[in-house]
Amino acid sequence: MEVKDQYFDPLTGAFSRKFHNLFIDREIKRVKRYGGTFSVILVDIDNFREINKRFGKLHADKILVEFTKILTSLVREVDLVVRYRGDLFVLILPNTDGMGAEVVAQRIIKSMESKEVGGIKLSVSIGIATYPDDGVDWESLFEYADRGLYIAKRS
């Protein structure tokens, strides 16, 4: 296995959490040095455990692969789609403020409303954080976006 293989999730082909950790550190340093902003979006498939139980792990894996392709198609080439864990994805949007991230989030929600993924109608919950307004390191950005994600899940 090459080192670069560790930068991709073997199931979905999305970037891995390991690559995410490297990229987010570089992005924070870049913005600190040159100014600007970036946003992160957490995307979680609603009720994925039930999907896994009802349709089985193989079908759930197919859904994750298809879902990754959809996410990738909805962002720019410079944006990162990361499979963070399970059905939680992180999108890193360089040079994107909170309003721009909201546009991307709405695009994802609308896309899920109009598609079936693996023969199933999916819904997603989303949380957004923008550097440096909502946090100055990965942990604080994640916590901010995660709170938003759980507010979305409850509504």
Side-chain angles (χ1 to χ4, degrees):
M1 177 197 309
E2 291 184 39
V3 173
K4 69 179 179 179
D5 292 340
Q6 298 172 23
Y7 295 151
F8 297 96
D9 175 63
L11 174 66
T12 64
F15 285 101
S16 69
R17 190 169 176 171
K18 182 174 186 153
F19 186 78
H20 162 275
N21 294 341
L22 295 171
F23 188 87
I24 200 79
D25 287 342
R26 284 191 199 148
E27 189 64 8
I28 289 169
K29 288 175 184 170
R30 182 190 67 77
V31 172
K32 278 183 182 176
R33 181 169 184 181
Y34 299 109
T37 190
F38 70 91
S39 292
V40 296
I41 299 177
L42 302 185
V43 183
D44 184 73
I45 300 172
D46 295 332
N47 305 310
F48 194 72
R49 283 187 188 146
E50 286 75 25
I51 292 169
N52 218 341
K53 288 178 188 174
R54 183 171 178 206
F55 296 98
K57 292 187 186 315
L58 288 177
H59 192 72
D61 283 352
K62 289 178 185 176
I63 289 170
L64 289 173
V65 170
E66 194 173 329
F67 183 70
T68 302
K69 290 177 184 173
I70 292 167
L71 286 180
T72 302
S73 75
L74 297 173
V75 297
R76 306 167 299 181
E77 282 186 21
V78 298
D79 299 331
L80 231 63
V81 175
V82 177
R83 183 173 178 210
Y84 200 71
R85 64 174 174 255
D87 63 315
L88 177 64
F89 289 79
V90 175
L91 308 180
I92 303 173
L93 313 173
N95 298 313
T96 304
D97 62 13
M99 288 178 60
E102 181 66 34
V103 169
V104 174
Q106 289 303 318
R107 192 179 311 142
I108 293 166
I109 291 167
K110 285 184 193 291
S111 179
M112 291 299 100
E113 290 172 353
S114 66
K115 289 185 171 103
E116 286 191 354
V117 182
I120 300 169
K121 197 75 156 160
L122 296 181
S123 64
V124 295
S125 294
I126 292 178
I128 299 170
T130 300
Y131 179 92
D133 298 341
D134 303 323
V136 294
D137 57 25
W138 170 241
E139 291 76 20
S140 58
L141 288 167
F142 184 87
E143 286 176 15
Y144 189 91
D146 197 42
R147 280 193 302 270
L149 186 140
Y150 279 101
I151 289 168
K153 276 201 174 294
R154 281 185 254 145
S155 62

